[in-house]
Amino acid sequence: MNKSEHLLSAFSEDYFFKDLVIDELKFTPEGSTEVEVADLLINIGDIIIAIQLKSRNDKDQTNDSFIEAKWLQKKCKNAKGQVKETLQFISSGKLPNFNNKRGQNISLQPDAEVIPLVVFENNQIDNYPHLLRKHSDSGMNINCMSFTDYCEMCRILVTPMEIVEYLEYRKSIYEEHGDIDIMILNGTDNEMVLIKPQKNESLVHQFLAEKYGMKKSAQQKLTIQYFRNFLHLLAERTVNSSTENGSYDILLFFAHFHRYEITEFWNMLEKTKAEAKKGKAGIRHSLRSAISEYVIMFVANGLVPIEILLPKIRRVTEPKQVFEIDIHWFNKNEFSIDFLFWNNIK
């Protein structure tokens, strides 16, 4: 890895969690020489963000905007070819397992939706094509952004699923409108948003305004940060697990959450924690999603056996995933959180 690749990986690890980031992606196909799947993968199971990074060597960099633009044009052309290879590698189902940044051995789903992204690092370039357009019917349009804009996107959106949705949203905006200078949007709650999409990835604010409203998204920010801290500590604080990568499976589940789900989850977790401290026991709250087909049961002072839990849940819905979270206090200052996670329930 070069300096820029290390920087990209370290930043992504902080915002996407170690468990979801894979940056050692070289392998040797049978009868061939060593190849690399991509520079970086953000893997959330059924969705993979595949990043190709292009960085300008300091010794080669000039102050000539024409020369630097030609450099980017050439690198973007190479990146499009690499993206095509990445899609083929993943869909082939023949890739070996790779280690994520936590050292867990992870397999990639061959049927995962792959979202390509080209990131470049060159501080001499301010104006650049935000969409690398296809040149044939069989091609695909690909998001492109500077490393600075990539960091800004992650900083504002904060959740993996939001970034996935934003990249799709961003691509559709540029496909429809091209490289526009100014956009005026009437968001939810009669909010008016004026943005310049080409500057500082400000299109993110339009995405948030359309999806949540700027006021509501700002109100949720503190809760989301608490939630992110909770997930960052999950693997480090896990005492034992029934499977080798138990914390990874849990993180994949939570990585698909949206802001509203995160807010509801956190509120119920805090309520259950307070009730458990008062000595209450049993099922306290539940969070359900008909779209994602999951149920989360919040219990106090003792996990409820699945044989008892499932009949209660099935009176209302038939989930594919059931998550049980139990909070138990040892004393006034110390408590534990136990998880039981059942996937692909039949």
Side-chain angles (χ1 to χ4, degrees):
M1 264 199 228
N2 61 35
K3 179 181 176 181
S4 296
E5 288 170 339
H6 275 296
L7 187 61
L8 175 67
S9 180
F11 183 87
S12 301
E13 176 185 320
D14 184 46
Y15 276 84
F16 287 99
F17 314 107
K18 291 180 179 180
D19 312 66
L20 307 184
V21 176
I22 306 175
D23 61 6
E24 296 291 344
L25 289 155
K26 292 181 179 179
F27 76 107
T28 304
E30 186 176 351
S32 182
T33 56
E34 187 179 69
V35 293
E36 189 173 42
V37 178
D39 290 319
L40 187 77
L41 295 182
I42 310 298
N43 172 44
I44 57 175
D46 57 338
I47 305 172
I48 298 171
I49 302 175
I51 300 177
Q52 291 295 151
L53 174 65
K54 300 300 176 185
S55 59
R56 183 67 152 155
N57 291 329
D58 293 340
K59 63 183 180 61
D60 296 327
Q61 201 168 68
T62 71
N63 293 320
D64 190 317
S65 58
F66 178 78
I67 291 176
E68 298 309 308
K70 292 292 288 183
W71 170 86
L72 182 60
Q73 184 181 37
K74 179 181 178 180
K75 291 299 181 180
C76 286
K77 183 179 179 180
N78 293 340
K80 290 176 72 174
Q82 290 171 316
V83 164
K84 184 177 180 180
E85 290 181 347
T86 297
L87 295 172
Q88 292 171 344
F89 284 143
I90 294 174
S91 64
S92 72
K94 298 178 180 179
L95 287 174
N97 287 5
F98 297 103
N99 286 340
N100 62 19
K101 293 294 287 184
R102 197 172 292 284
Q104 299 162 324
N105 199 239
I106 303 300
S107 62
L108 301 177
Q109 295 184 19
D111 59 348
E113 177 188 1
V114 181
I115 300 175
L117 172 63
V118 174
V119 176
F120 71 90
E121 187 177 24
N122 186 327
N123 55 23
Q124 295 295 321
I125 297 176
D126 291 323
N127 298 315
Y128 63 89
H130 285 59
L131 194 67
L132 307 181
R133 295 186 176 273
K134 61 183 180 181
H135 296 295
S136 66
D137 292 337
S138 61
M140 63 186 303
N141 296 324
I142 302 170
N143 277 303
C144 175
M145 62 179 67
S146 68
F147 179 72
T148 300
D149 285 351
Y150 173 80
C151 295
E152 185 69 3
M153 173 189 71
C154 294
R155 185 186 66 80
I156 296 173
L157 291 179
V158 304
T159 73
M161 202 61 199
E162 270 186 1
I163 291 174
V164 166
E165 291 186 348
Y166 171 69
L167 289 173
E168 291 294 320
Y169 173 86
R170 183 184 191 270
K171 182 162 74 75
S172 67
I173 288 291
Y174 286 119
E175 285 174 339
E176 183 177 354
H177 300 291
D179 292 337
I180 50 178
D181 291 328
I182 296 177
M183 293 186 73
I184 300 175
L185 169 74
N186 284 321
T188 60
D189 300 326
N190 296 318
E191 297 170 325
M192 181 170 285
V193 182
L194 174 66
I195 65 166
K196 300 189 72 174
Q198 304 295 303
K199 299 294 183 182
N200 302 320
E201 208 57 34
S202 62
L203 194 61
V204 171
H205 298 290
Q206 177 173 324
F207 168 76
L208 289 175
E210 287 189 18
K211 190 169 181 66
Y212 305 107
M214 293 303 296
K215 183 178 180 180
K216 289 181 180 177
S217 65
Q219 290 172 341
Q220 295 165 332
K221 193 168 183 179
L222 185 59
T223 298
I224 291 171
Q225 190 56 55
Y226 289 148
F227 180 79
R228 283 176 52 80
N229 293 341
F230 168 74
L231 294 187
H232 271 295
L233 291 171
L234 183 64
E236 282 87 352
R237 299 292 177 87
T238 298
V239 177
N240 56 59
S241 171
S242 59
T243 60
E244 183 179 356
N245 293 332
S247 62
Y248 170 75
D249 295 331
I250 293 173
L251 193 59
L252 277 188
F253 175 79
F254 283 129
H256 289 77
F257 271 31
H258 299 279
R259 291 192 182 213
Y260 290 136
E261 291 172 293
I262 290 172
T263 301
E264 285 300 307
F265 172 87
W266 195 257
N267 289 341
M268 291 181 186
L269 188 71
E270 287 295 302
K271 287 179 182 178
T272 304
K273 188 167 75 172
E275 290 164 354
K277 194 171 187 178
K278 293 177 181 178
K280 296 181 180 180
I283 299 171
R284 309 308 305 170
H285 305 280
S286 66
L287 180 62
R288 305 167 188 266
S289 171
I291 297 174
S292 301
E293 298 181 289
Y294 70 74
V295 173
I296 302 176
M297 304 298 289
F298 298 82
V299 301
N301 295 311
L303 290 164
V304 179
I306 188 64
E307 296 81 9
I308 298 175
L309 206 59
L310 266 183
K312 294 179 180 293
I313 293 171
R314 283 175 170 160
R315 293 173 190 169
V316 181
T317 185
E318 289 284 343
K320 290 184 177 179
Q321 296 173 310
V322 174
F323 208 135
E324 184 178 0
I325 300 176
D326 168 54
I327 299 180
H328 171 77
W329 287 84
F330 299 109
N331 51 54
K332 291 182 179 181
N333 300 312
E334 296 179 310
F335 66 92
S336 68
I337 301 179
D338 294 322
F339 301 93
L340 284 179
F341 183 45
W342 294 273
N343 202 7
N344 299 317
I345 291 177
K346 298 179 180 179

